[in-house]
Amino acid sequence: MSDPNSDDRPNVGDPPDDNDRPADEPRDATDTDSQEEPTATGADVDSGTGVGDHPDGGPDPRDDSTRVANEERRRNTSIVSAVVAAIGAWVALSVLVFDVGEASLWNNVLVGAVILLAAGYNVYRLSNDIPLSVGVSTLVAVLGIWLIVSAALLGMLGSLFWSTLAAGLLVTGLSGYNAYEAREARTVATEPDTRS
């Protein structure tokens, strides 16, 4: 039922509606009312791995230099994460080598174990072609800073002090590098492809 007071006529500037066109009249290529612009979805975003990024399952469409840079970045962060995990294991086991007090013992065992597990988690992610976790790398860097501070704060002496201090500096620097690289890789992967 139609409303007699309504104005069903199209406005002067409006494009013609398909309902106003006779059924036998073909649509021409200049009609823009049904043409839609494609929008980027989560499947269109390239992770830089070249696997599973596109609905058609094709390879990474970026140029070779970008792919090589991403592979080199992934290889470096995997090695760095493995080194950080080894340093974490050393910190946890150093209490068996050096003469330690109770506070130093618990500090090194707990912090070293968390560093080992967190860095090992990043190694696991990278070995399964999953991007490095920025949060985990940042946590490990903060734990490295804690090792630097705790070496003096807990009154560690002699070789344990220097071992904990050196481990803290290495963990902070290497994990900071990993966090930076993970953030850069994510930025590169989510940038729209502006090439035509």
Side-chain angles (χ1 to χ4, degrees), residues 53-59:
D53 294 326
H54 304 286
D56 63 356

Side-chain angles (χ1 to χ4, degrees), residues 92 95-96 100-110 154 156 160:
V95 297
L96 301 174
V100 297
E102 187 174 346
S104 300
L105 176 114
W106 288 111
N107 177 69
N108 281 20
V109 167
L110 292 177
L154 298 177
M156 296 181 191
L160 180 64

Side-chain angles (χ1 to χ4, degrees), residues 25-142:
E25 183 179 327
R27 292 183 55 96
D28 63 353
T30 61
D31 285 342
T32 59
D33 58 335
S34 66
Q35 295 176 359
E36 296 178 11
E37 291 291 321
T39 57
T41 62
D44 296 333
V45 175
D46 189 3
S47 69
T49 63
V51 178
D53 294 326
H54 304 286
D56 63 356
D60 188 293
R62 291 188 274 187
D63 63 345
D64 290 334
S65 64
T66 303
R67 282 197 304 261
V68 168
N70 282 341
E71 287 302 317
E72 186 67 26
R73 178 177 281 145
R74 181 182 286 110
R75 190 175 310 116
N76 286 345
T77 55
S78 179
I79 293 168
V80 170
S81 294
V83 168
V84 170
I87 294 170
W90 164 251
V91 169
L93 296 175
S94 67
V95 297
L96 301 174
V97 176
F98 302 116
D99 192 22
V100 297
E102 187 174 346
S104 300
L105 176 114
W106 288 111
N107 177 69
N108 281 20
V109 167
L110 292 177
V111 174
V114 172
I115 290 172
L116 171 65
L117 292 174
Y121 172 71
N122 270 339
V123 171
Y124 169 79
R125 286 176 62 102
L126 291 167
S127 67
N128 287 312
D129 206 23
I130 302 170
L132 191 74
S133 171
V134 177
V136 170
S137 294
T138 304
L139 169 69
V140 174
V142 169

